[in-house]
């Protein structure tokens, strides 16, 4: 996944390419022909730019929603682990102690194994086995009443559900066809802007570079937010670390 430095390099590369295209067209395409084409290309660029802006804004909004949902799911998962740990204290010590150890092991697995793997773009969800062990621990408990067990079953079920939600958040990606639309649309808009003619060349160059900067930065933001657990902007395991620290105190 791209870091901030790599993202800056991509933006600078896009600006350099756009600058080169403008210079190439200025030297090799007749200025009078480009000036006459302004009347046609201008309104076509307005329509094309408006359509692309709607698509780009929609995709950015969807990517931001995806990132926020992933953050909420991660926090809810850590909260469910904390509730399970506290409710386990209601059981007899013979049942409560191993179950609380399972919850601590779950958090340690998420922090030390799952999260580093997700940051590297790898799916390594070993905490599933710890949840299964917690269920076996609860099933083997013969001393507690059914009411007490029920009070632990609910947060444990919620923990498992939130874990599955995080797995889904990690696996979810924009389909390839949407990225093709975004890249093709951005390239078309910038290319159309490059063809336009302005008597003051530096103003035209400023318009093209500003448009290139806006499109490239927005595309990188969508790309980064669509992968909420790795990259420059990502969900951190802070809530899991805080929950584990409270359990260890």
């Amino acid at each position: 996944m791209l870091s901030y430095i790599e993202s800056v390099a991509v933006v600078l590369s896009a600006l350099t390419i756009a600058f080169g295209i403008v210079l190439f067209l200025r030297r090799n395409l007749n200025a009078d022909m480009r000036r006459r084409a302004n009347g046609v290309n201008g309104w076509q660029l307005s329509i094309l730019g408006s359509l692309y802006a709607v698509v780009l804004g929609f995709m950015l909004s969807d990517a931001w929603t995806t990132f926020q949902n992933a953050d909420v799911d991660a926090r809810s998962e850590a909260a469910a682990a904390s509730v399970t740990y506290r409710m386990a204290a209601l059981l007899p010590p013979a049942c409560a102690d191993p179950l609380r150890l399972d919850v601590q092991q779950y958090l340690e697995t998420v922090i030390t194994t799952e999260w580093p793997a997700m940051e590297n773009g790898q799916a390594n969800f070993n905490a599933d086995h710890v949840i299964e062990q917690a269920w076996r621990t609860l099933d083997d408990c013969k001393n507690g009443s059914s009411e007490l067990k029920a009070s632990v079953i609910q947060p444990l079920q919620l923990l498992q559900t939130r874990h599955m939600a995080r797995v889904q958040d990690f696996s979810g990606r924009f389909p390839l066809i949407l990225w093709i639309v975004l890249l093709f649309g951005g390239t078309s808009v910038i290319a159309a802007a490059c063809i336009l003619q302005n008597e003051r060349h530096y103003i035209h160059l400023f318009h093209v570079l500003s448009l290139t900067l806006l499109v490239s930065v927005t595309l990188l933001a969508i790309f980064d937010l669509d992968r909420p657990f790795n990259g420059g902007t990502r969900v951190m395991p802070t809530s899991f670390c805080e929950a584990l620290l409270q359990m260890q105190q």
Side-chain angles (χ1 to χ4, degrees):
M1 193 53 53
L2 297 179
S3 63
Y4 286 134
I5 296 178
E6 293 170 334
S7 297
V8 171
V10 171
V11 172
L12 293 178
S13 299
L15 292 174
T16 302
I17 294 173
F19 181 77
I21 292 175
V22 171
L23 292 183
F24 176 81
L25 293 176
R26 186 177 300 170
R27 294 177 181 178
N28 295 277
L29 200 62
N30 185 271
D32 292 334
M33 183 178 65
R34 294 172 60 193
R35 191 178 299 108
R36 289 194 301 269
N38 281 354
V40 177
N41 293 340
W43 68 267
Q44 290 180 343
L45 178 59
S46 298
I47 296 176
L48 181 63
S50 299
L51 291 175
Y52 184 69
V54 172
V55 174
L56 199 64
F58 173 78
M59 299 301 294
L60 180 60
S61 175
D62 189 73
W64 175 241
T65 301
T66 299
F67 182 86
Q68 287 182 311
N69 290 339
D71 185 55
V72 170
D73 288 337
R75 293 177 183 274
S76 300
E77 183 182 357
S82 297
V83 173
T84 304
Y85 185 85
R86 294 191 182 97
M87 297 304 293
L90 300 176
L91 298 174
C95 302
D97 293 342
L99 184 57
R100 299 182 101 187
L101 288 176
D102 290 337
V103 176
Q104 289 189 21
Q105 183 183 356
Y106 175 85
L107 292 176
E108 292 173 354
T109 302
V110 170
I111 296 170
T112 61
T113 302
E114 290 193 353
W115 222 271
M118 290 192 301
E119 289 179 346
N120 293 324
Q122 302 172 357
N124 184 8
F125 299 105
N126 292 332
D128 284 334
H129 305 297
V130 184
I131 294 180
E132 294 175 359
Q133 176 60 40
W135 280 115
R136 287 193 295 267
T137 301
L138 189 59
D139 291 338
D140 294 337
C141 179
K142 306 300 181 182
N143 298 329
S145 64
S146 58
E147 291 79 7
L148 293 178
K149 286 186 178 181
S151 64
V152 180
I153 289 176
Q154 184 176 359
L156 188 57
Q157 287 177 333
L158 180 60
L159 175 61
Q160 190 170 25
T161 301
R162 290 302 181 181
H163 180 264
M164 295 173 61
R166 178 164 56 85
V167 173
Q168 182 62 37
D169 293 334
F170 173 80
S171 303
R173 295 287 187 275
F174 282 163
L176 178 61
I177 185 63
L178 291 182
W179 283 111
I180 294 176
V181 170
L182 289 175
L183 293 175
F184 178 77
T187 303
S188 301
V189 170
I190 294 173
C194 291
I195 298 176
L196 297 178
Q197 172 67 18
N198 193 300
E199 296 297 335
R200 297 181 179 180
H201 298 317
Y202 66 90
I203 294 180
H204 177 229
L205 182 61
F206 174 77
H207 288 165
V208 172
L209 294 182
S210 298
L211 180 61
T212 304
L213 178 64
L214 177 62
V215 171
S216 59
V217 169
T218 305
L219 288 176
L220 285 172
I222 295 173
F223 183 77
D224 208 27
L225 294 174
D226 187 43
R227 292 155 174 79
F229 295 103
N230 54 332
T233 304
R234 60 182 181 269
V235 178
M236 303 299 292
T238 306
S239 55
F240 293 90
C241 296
E242 292 175 352
L244 181 59
L245 182 61
Q246 291 178 357
M247 295 176 189
Q248 293 174 343
Q249 289 178 348

